[in-house]
Amino acid sequence: MTMTKPLAVTPMRSTRTDRPPLQALSAPSRGIDPVARETFLSRASELDRQARAAAERGEFEASARLILELLDCERRAGSLGPQVLQVIKPRQ
């Protein structure tokens, strides 16, 4: 039986830069309710603040729940416009 070393647990700091900032998602386009989009984005911004504060306090489960809710708000804000897959016609 091979024994492995336990993983060291250290607080993580987000260094991801591949996600656009929340404000980048708020660009107006046709067919999108700007009020609803801004509502989702402002809620996402508030959840981001709360998640960071919870993580700094060491409340990782609470932080994870807030992050999931934040991602849901971002998804909803991004899905208010026309969907690409609805525009593409399948080949016959």
Side-chain angles (χ1 to χ4, degrees):
M1 180 186 311
T2 305
M3 297 195 57
T4 59
K5 291 183 182 179
L7 296 174
V9 179
T10 57
M12 293 179 17
R13 291 199 172 256
S14 176
T15 57
R16 289 186 60 186
T17 57
D18 57 334
R19 286 183 49 207
L22 294 175
Q23 292 77 18
L25 296 174
S26 64
S29 63
R30 283 185 240 160
I32 296 175
D33 180 6
V35 174
R37 174 171 267 188
E38 284 303 315
T39 301
F40 282 124
L41 291 176
S42 65
R43 175 73 177 140
S45 180
E46 175 62 21
L47 289 167
D48 180 53
R49 187 191 63 74
Q50 291 175 8
R52 288 176 188 272
E56 288 174 0
R57 290 189 308 266
E59 299 171 359
F60 299 114
E61 288 182 24
S63 179
R65 281 191 297 274
L66 290 165
I67 290 169
L68 290 175
E69 192 174 344
L70 176 151
L71 292 172
D72 183 55
C73 286
E74 286 183 345
R75 178 189 60 80
R76 288 173 185 248
S79 68
L80 290 175
Q83 302 298 307
V84 174
L85 294 178
Q86 294 170 351
V87 177
I88 300 172
K89 293 183 179 180
R91 293 183 186 195
Q92 294 182 5

